[in-house]
Structure formats: structure tokens, C-alpha cells
Amino acid sequence: MAAQRLDLPISGMHCAGCAGRIENALQGLAGVQQAQVNFATEKATVHFDPVVLNRLAISRKIEDVGYTVPDADPDDPVDHERLARTAEIRDLSRKLAVSLALSLPVMLGSMPGVFPWTPDWLRQPVVLLALTTPVQFWVGWSFYQGTWAALKQKSADMSTLIALGTSAAYLYSAAVTFLPQVFSRLGVGTHVYFDTAVMILTLIILGRLLEARARGQTSEAIRKLMGLQARTARVWRGGQTADIPVADVAIGDLVLVRPGEKVPVDGDITEGRPTLDESMLTGESLPQDKSAGASVFGATLNKTGSFTLRATRVGRDTVLAQIVRLVEEAQGSKAPIQRLADQVARIFVPAVLGAALLTFAAWLLWGPSPAIAFALLNFVAVLIIACPCALGLATPTAIRVGTGKGAEHGILFKSSPALETAHKLQAVVLDKTGTLTQGQPSVTDIVTHNGFTESEVLRLAASTEQASEHPVAQAIVAAARAEGLVLEGPRGAEALPGQGMSAVVGAQSVLIGNHAFMQHAGIQLGKLEEIAERLAGDGKTPVFVTLDRRVAGVIGLADTLKPHAREAVAALDQLGLEVLMLTGDHRRSAQAVARQLGIDTVLAEVMPGQKAAQIKHLQAQGKRVAMVGDGINDAPALAQADVGIAIGSGTDVALAAADVTLITGDVRGVATAMQLSRRTMRTIRQNLFWAFIYNLLGIPVAAGVLYPVFGLSLSPALAAAAMALSSVSVVCNSLRLRRFRPEW
């Protein structure tokens, strides 16, 4: 049986070490093929054998390690994370309020030299102990829980460092409070450090609160997408309409949508001619006219006209739900660059514990009097400042904001590796038909002869071509109808496959076709032959029209460029990428299109089965290659490329072959994806640099290396503030990606 994927929310993680411990535990379960735990998104993604395991067993394993799996359905299109974050912020705010209320008197009573007006009773150690105890064991209880969970797994994490550091200060001070004579006889003094314990916990809780608020903003893209969905649907039941929750709509239900309402689910129109605003899905700013049989998508807005649709996709199968799921999966996956941070985080805490013990021993042996005080304070400072929160947040927060920003621009990254790889690309191969061009011919030129007008030539040609289903014929008919021309029904229509057709229109005989067809009929084309050669040289298809064997004119047709295709190619050039065009068309036609776009390298006359080989050839030259196609005939090439980018509509957002999907037809999204990848990776590198530098410099300073020379040491309270600030700064730096705008 194929492996199943399970996404589980997890609460109680405090750092990358927590995520690593859960990940190791899950990977040790029989039946688990792959497990990833993302600290920033607080989710576990598990691929497992359903014959061996189930969701309950996986949840129990996580809880055995010491963490909680909230009772939430990950497939339910509700922002459970927002609810969990709100609860977390509420809990942290309550703890911070209590901690501040008790810590401020402790600080006043511990510093009589700074606050001489403090009453004597507040300076008593037993009073300070009474005020500190609730902070130590209620506000800080989660750190003891985390430490116990880590010890059961024979490991250590951020909770271990905080619990050890604050407990050392608290227990030492409690001992001094109850046994002051003993400490006096030992000559180490009777000073207490309750202020150190409470301020560390207060500052860490404050840092967590700020971090939780900032991390909540990284989910803004998901919330925006979810907010697009309608909450209720008006369904026909028993000959009447009833308003029901969208989640209760079933496939096959008839749903009534009135002007000004959002379409609740995906479906096909059965009655009505509405005008829909589909900009949230396609990026097209102009409303689209729809009629019976047309497909509509949930979350689009009905501007005018009531209509009825038959539901075809509901719940997690709608296009909007697919988009949300793809963004969530990308945010939950791990980028290759994150592996370094994960490896460091797993060995970091044990190394810090060793460094703290060495610091304590060194100060106890060689420190100034009272040595025990210096040893204790520096020991605590090293433990606190070294918490690896910033390392754990550096990569996933930036990935989260980057993928969310991509979704806002209609770019869906299938995974974090795709977002990371995109910035390394050197060449971009663009499929022509359906990617750079509209994918269907349209009339571009009408050249008349022998006194005929353009309208007459187009009317005669379209009247004749009504009997044909050929794309060229349909393009001519569409052009005539767009001009409002009145067409006549052809009689006696006969077609010569691949060449043209003849018919009687009115009382006159009409021939329409290519050069070979005219030669076969013995028609002399005269100067129109030169004009047809010029049209062909421009990549257009010339079609001749005659009336009663008199040449009336020639119509030029071409697969026209998509809007903004030239801008897209220019933007890719500005990014320093090699741009190539790939097509199965004849070389002359392909080169004509390439000239319009400013593309120098054309891979023409390439059959669909040979496209992947062309990508392999470029990769063999040492290039990292992106393939951009419509996701149908280009699937092998999309899969072969380092990054496959599918140009699709809302109905194919989950194309399996592509790493990136553009839900709009705007080719400029390719350049936007590259720019966003570069900005995201730059942000990740900044985060990792500051996280590493912070710890590399902070630990020696906390250990007291500056004291022998400059007489400077880092207090544990300042270490706690610095630790909290480092995590918040990493998240805030990632949030700068929310200001990203395409540079084309």
C-alpha cells in the first residue's frame, strides 16, 4: 500500500532542539518512512505505512516525547494555527502580567543602593523568596516540563538551559535565605540572586510573546486565502432555497448565487449569464462573462446576474483549497539550507552545557572573591544567552513569508527546495505555444486585391469556413463575428485536407486555402504571392480567398503573443538568465516569434518526447535549468528540469510534474518567482549569519572573557534580554519579505 501523508499540529515546542527530538522519535517508529518537524509552523509532516501505523499511534509518540497534539483536523479549511496562536498569546500575556507584578518588587528590594527609598520589609530575603517562588514555578513551569521530557529522551534543549540557569540562581538564593550563617562562615557572603531568576523568566516570557505575535504575521498569506472563501451557500432543497454552511454542500447540489455574492464552491453553470470577478484566481482584472456550461470557481465574486451552478468540487477539492494546501505544504517542508541549522541545533545544547560547566569551574577556581558568586552568575549567563531559538527560526520563518508572498502574486511553490533552487538557476527554457503565445491562431492581417474591401474578404472567408472545425477556420469565423459581420450559410462545401475548402456563398463560388490549394485550382495569385511570402517570413500563416476564381485577398493568421510576454523575457534577461525558446513549430515560424520577444536561442522542430532530452543536454553543460510550460505536453521536461514551472489556470494548480505553478497565465510570474527566491535566500543567509554570530560572540562574553582585561561581565538578566531579542529580530527580518514587489 502506498505511503500516506499526515500533517499534525504540535504545541509546546520552544526551539529547534525540540523539533529535532520529535523528528528523531518519529523516525524511530516502525512504519514511518519520512518525518519532518517544522519549529516555525509548529507542524509535523509524516509519511507512513497505514498498514503498520495510524494517526493515533503517531500522536501518542509525540505526546510520549513531552509535547501536545491539539485536536484539530489539518484538512479542515479553518485557520487552526491562528486559533492556537491566539490562545498562546493569551496565555503568555497572563504569565507576563503576573511575572511583571511580582518581579518589579523583587528588583526594588534587591537593589537598595539604586532604590534607597525601598521599605526595609521588602529587602528581607524571605519576602523576596515568597515573591520569586510563583514566578519560578508557575510562570516557569513549562521549562521544567520541557526539561523532564528531554531527560526522558536522554537529551537537552532550550528548556533545559533556562530551567538549569534560573534554578541555580533560585536554589542558591533560597539556601542563603535559610542558612545565612553557613554561607557567612564559608566567606562567600549572603547576597541573594532572586532578581536574576525573576528577570530572566520575565524577559524570556516577554520575548516569547513578541515572537508569537511576529510569527503570527508570517501566516498572513494563508489567512488571506482562507478569508476569500464564502461561509454559506444557498442550495436548492425540495423546490426551495436554503442557506447552509459551505462545508455541508455536496457534489451535485444546485447552488443559487446572486449578484454581489461569492461563489461558494466550484461547479458548472446550469442557468444564467453572470459576470464574475476572477481576479483572485487568474489575476485578470476585467470581469468575465459566463454562460450555461461554463466552469466557475469558489471564492470568485459574482458582479452581475443571478445564476445557478451544479457543484462539481467541494471542501478540500476546490481550487482555493488546493492553493491553500500547496502553500501550507511548501511552508511546512524543509529547505536544504536548513539542514545545517538543524545539525548545529542538535549538538548545540550539549555543547553549551559543557561550556557553562567549564565557566563555573574556572570562575570558582580562579575568580575574584566571592568566587562562588562570579561562578554562579557567569554559569547562568552562558546557559541563558546560548538558547538556539534564533537558529531554529532563521530558515522556516523566511520560507514561510516567501511562499506566502508568492501565493499573493499567483505563484505556488510546491516545496521549500523549489523556492531555494530557483535562485541558483542559470537558464530558463520557455515553451512557445500556450506559454509565450495564446495557444490558438487569430487573424492578424487582411490584404485585399481586385477592389475588394477587408470586410468583404473576411465575410466571404468566414461564411465558407463555418462548415470547418479546423483551428484556422474557427479563428477566421471568430474574427468576423467580432467585427459584427453577417455571415451566410455555405452550400456544397468540400474540403481538401491540409490545403483548403470550396463552397457556394450566396450565388458565388468561393475558394479559400493555402498556396498549394490555389495552384491545384489553377488560380494565378500575382503580387499576393510576395505578400504571402512576407507574412510567412513573419511567422504567420497566409490563407488566400477567391470569388468566382478572382483573387479577393490574403488573410494572415498567427498564434499571437500573450500580453506581457515581451516584458517577461526582458525581466529574465535583466536577472542575468540565459533565455531559450522551445517549440515543435518550423524553425522559420519559431524564429519570427523569437525576434518579437528578443530571444536569441531557439530550439525548434522539437517533438514533445524530445523536450526532456533538450533539458538534459543543457544540464550536461553544467547549467541549472528551469523549464516553463503549460504542464500538459511538457510534463517530462518539467520533471527533468531543476525547477519545473507550469503555466496553468485555476483547474490545474496541483500539476504533479511541476515544482512551481503559476495560477495565472502571466509569464512575468516566472521572473517574479526568481526574484522572490533570491530575496528569500538573501533573508535566510542574513538570519543564519546573525544567529551564528550572536552565539559565537555572546557565549564568550557571557563566560567572562572580557572581565580580566576590561572588568566587564554580562549579567544573566542582560543575557536573557539579548536571547529574546535575537529570536524576535530573526522573525522581524523575515517579515521584511512582506514588502516584496516584482521589479519588472
Side-chain angles (χ1 to χ4, degrees), residues 196-264:
T196 297
V198 294
M199 286 311 297
I200 287 173
L201 290 169
T202 301
L203 288 169
I204 289 174
I205 293 297
L206 173 61
R208 281 199 178 174
L209 177 60
L210 296 175
E211 181 187 312
R213 290 184 182 277
R215 283 166 64 187
Q217 296 177 51
T218 65
S219 305
E220 184 177 352
I222 293 289
R223 285 199 297 274
K224 283 183 178 178
L225 288 171
M226 289 178 171
L228 294 173
Q229 187 175 13
R231 300 301 179 192
T232 61
R234 188 170 290 109
V235 180
W236 285 100
R237 295 280 168 88
Q240 295 182 335
T241 59
D243 289 337
I244 64 173
V246 168
D248 294 340
V249 178
I251 293 176
D253 277 346
L254 291 175
V255 182
L256 175 64
V257 184
R258 295 173 179 170
E261 295 179 342
K262 290 181 179 179
V263 179

Side-chain angles (χ1 to χ4, degrees), residues 45-195:
T45 300
V46 186
H47 297 267
F48 66 99
D49 184 348
V51 175
V52 180
L53 277 177
N54 57 28
R55 178 188 175 114
L56 181 59
I58 294 171
S59 298
R60 282 177 177 169
K61 186 62 177 177
I62 294 173
E63 290 169 353
D64 288 343
V65 180
Y67 301 90
T68 304
V69 179
D71 186 16
D73 181 2
D75 293 328
D76 189 352
V78 177
D79 192 359
H80 290 293
E81 185 199 1
R82 179 181 59 82
L83 299 176
R85 188 73 65 203
T86 301
E88 180 188 12
I89 290 173
R90 186 166 54 246
D91 179 60
L92 288 172
S93 298
R94 184 169 59 250
K95 287 183 176 180
L96 179 63
V98 172
S99 190
L100 280 173
L102 296 175
S103 298
L104 289 176
V106 172
M107 294 298 295
L108 293 175
S110 300
M111 301 180 184
V114 179
F115 307 107
W117 40 264
T118 305
D120 290 337
W121 64 267
L122 190 55
R123 301 177 188 178
Q124 300 302 313
V126 69
V127 174
L128 298 178
L129 173 65
L131 293 171
T132 302
T133 300
V135 178
Q136 184 69 40
F137 296 106
W138 181 72
V139 174
W141 183 245
S142 61
F143 301 115
Y144 288 105
Q145 288 178 313
T147 300
W148 176 244
L151 289 175
K152 287 195 296 184
Q153 299 296 317
K154 300 178 181 178
S155 63
D157 61 9
M158 169 186 166
S159 294
T160 309
L161 302 181
I162 296 172
L164 279 177
T166 57
S167 295
Y170 175 85
L171 293 174
Y172 175 86
S173 301
V176 171
T177 300
F178 292 114
L179 302 170
Q181 300 86 355
V182 174
F183 284 85
S184 295
R185 284 198 297 268
L186 292 174
V188 296
T190 58
H191 188 76
V192 293
Y193 299 98
F194 291 119
D195 56 324

Side-chain angles (χ1 to χ4, degrees), residues 20 25 55-56 93 102 140 175 267 309 313 336 346 457-458 497 501 527 533 680 735:
R55 178 188 175 114
L56 181 59
S93 298
L102 296 175
L309 67 88
R313 286 184 297 273
R346 288 176 184 176
V457 171
L458 184 59
M501 69 184 302
K527 68 176 185 179
E533 282 291 325
T680 303
L735 288 173

Side-chain angles (χ1 to χ4, degrees), residues 359-377:
T359 299
F360 182 84
W363 280 96
L364 190 61
L365 292 174
W366 299 297
S369 181
I372 184 65
F374 281 93
L376 177 66
L377 293 178

